[in-house]
Amino acid sequence: MSAVASPRPHPRQGLGLRRWWPLAIVGLVVLAAIFAPWLAPYDPNTQNLIGRLKPPGTVSRAFHYWLGSDELGRDVLSRIIYGSRVSLVVAFASVIISGTVGTTLGMIAAYRRGWTETVVMRVVDVFLSIPAVLLAIITVAVLGPSLVNVILVLALTRWPRYARIAYSQTLSVATMPYVRLAALMGAGATRVLFRHVLPNIIGAVSVVATLEFGLMVLFEAGLSFLGLGVQPPTASWGSMLSTGRNYVATAWWVATLPGLWLFVLVLAVNLTGDAVRDRLDPRFR
């Protein structure tokens, strides 16, 4: 009696829930950041020294601290909601800037070849040889801590990854017959790259951008934790972790809750990136 082999499940079976719940969490955080003035119970910078370091659920004067209060009596929930604005603005802006610069330079290097390729890719190698966190810390320390400087520094340190991906993808696409035909018919390099090459490599670049988004959130939190990000009294998850570490033994919620929100957001973004990769991977079609 021969055994009947069970059918092999399709690689994308069972990905529905894993694909959608992380995206829902990211969407909720984005909505919370956009509608923070209406969702936050109080102004994130309003102090109530009588109600400092109150545990979650405590009522002090006119404040109802759903997630507790910090060392200055500020509402932790309100500061977490407003802190999401900083993280998302930095992540979105840095990903857009670094992705645009890196993808453009990578495509130009692969299409032009010659000395252009040599110069661009050697600069990429130099940037990739320096630890990104160390480079970001040094640059922010020189330029000064601010929201704009954090965005520029993160974009400066992360564009080489996009350049590498765009370079390798463009090398294969540039040899396609339709690309050569477009060049022979008189299309300029700009038209060929952005009309014929970019649409064919945008999938791989999008996967990198999705994964980089979570990394940018972590980098921003790390710089703010070190005092090199946005400055007080602006609410930031990293700065909340930095001040809350001094009260872990007596007021665990000050550092634990922002850290939990940070963990959940980065996990959701990374899982969303995996889902995007599975969606665009031709082996799963």
Side-chain angles (χ1 to χ4, degrees):
M1 182 176 179
S2 60
V4 179
S6 59
R8 184 179 180 181
H10 194 273
R12 287 174 60 183
Q13 289 181 357
L15 289 177
L17 181 61
R18 183 170 69 87
R19 183 169 65 247
W20 288 111
W21 76 259
L23 188 60
I25 291 178
V26 175
L28 289 175
V29 176
V30 172
L31 290 176
I34 295 174
F35 298 102
W38 295 274
L39 294 178
Y42 310 103
D43 186 296
N45 299 323
T46 300
Q47 301 180 12
N48 175 26
L49 297 180
I50 297 178
R52 61 189 303 270
L53 299 178
K54 295 295 183 181
T58 301
V59 178
S60 175
R61 297 174 66 182
F63 293 86
H64 193 153
Y65 298 118
W66 295 102
L67 296 183
S69 63
D70 63 6
E71 73 283 359
L72 297 177
R74 296 172 297 190
D75 182 49
V76 172
L77 175 58
S78 300
R79 292 185 64 78
I80 288 176
I81 294 175
Y82 272 88
S84 63
R85 281 186 156 188
V86 174
S87 297
L88 293 181
V89 166
V90 171
F92 274 118
S94 58
V95 165
I96 291 173
I97 296 174
S98 60
T100 302
V101 173
T103 302
T104 302
L105 291 178
M107 290 192 304
I108 292 175
Y111 187 74
R112 289 293 190 182
R113 307 299 295 268
W115 67 268
T116 304
E117 176 188 22
T118 302
V119 172
V120 172
M121 298 315 296
R122 294 300 77 78
V123 173
V124 169
D125 292 338
V126 170
F127 272 87
L128 292 177
S129 65
I130 305 174
V133 177
L134 178 61
L135 180 60
I137 291 175
I138 295 174
T139 309
V140 171
V142 172
L143 297 179
S146 70
L147 181 63
V148 175
N149 286 345
V150 169
I151 293 173
L152 294 178
V153 166
L154 293 181
L156 174 68
T157 57
R158 301 308 298 176
W159 70 267
R161 187 173 182 186
Y162 295 94
R164 272 284 180 86
I165 296 297
Y167 173 77
S168 61
Q169 294 291 317
T170 303
L171 283 178
S172 59
V173 174
T175 59
M176 296 295 178
Y178 63 89
V179 177
R180 293 184 175 181
L181 180 61
L184 291 175
M185 293 180 65
T190 302
R191 181 178 178 84
V192 171
L193 288 176
F194 290 97
R195 183 69 181 272
H196 301 287
V197 175
L198 182 60
N200 289 281
I201 70 172
I202 195 65
V205 174
S206 299
V207 173
V208 175
T210 306
L211 298 175
E212 283 286 300
F213 186 88
L215 191 59
M216 294 301 97
V217 173
L218 285 178
F219 275 10
E220 184 279 324
L223 291 175
S224 296
F225 182 87
L226 296 174
L228 298 175
V230 295
Q231 296 301 293
T234 304
S236 169
W237 291 347
S239 60
M240 294 176 69
L241 287 170
S242 180
T243 58
R245 61 179 174 168
N246 299 320
Y247 306 97
V248 172
T250 56
W252 57 268
W253 55 88
V254 179
T256 302
L257 297 179
L260 183 61
W261 281 56
L262 178 64
F263 165 76
V264 171
L265 176 60
V266 174
L267 176 63
V269 170
N270 288 339
L271 291 179
T272 301
D274 292 341
V276 172
R277 179 198 59 200
D278 295 339
R279 183 75 175 179
L280 298 176
D281 195 332
R283 295 174 299 176
F284 290 172
R285 295 178 181 175

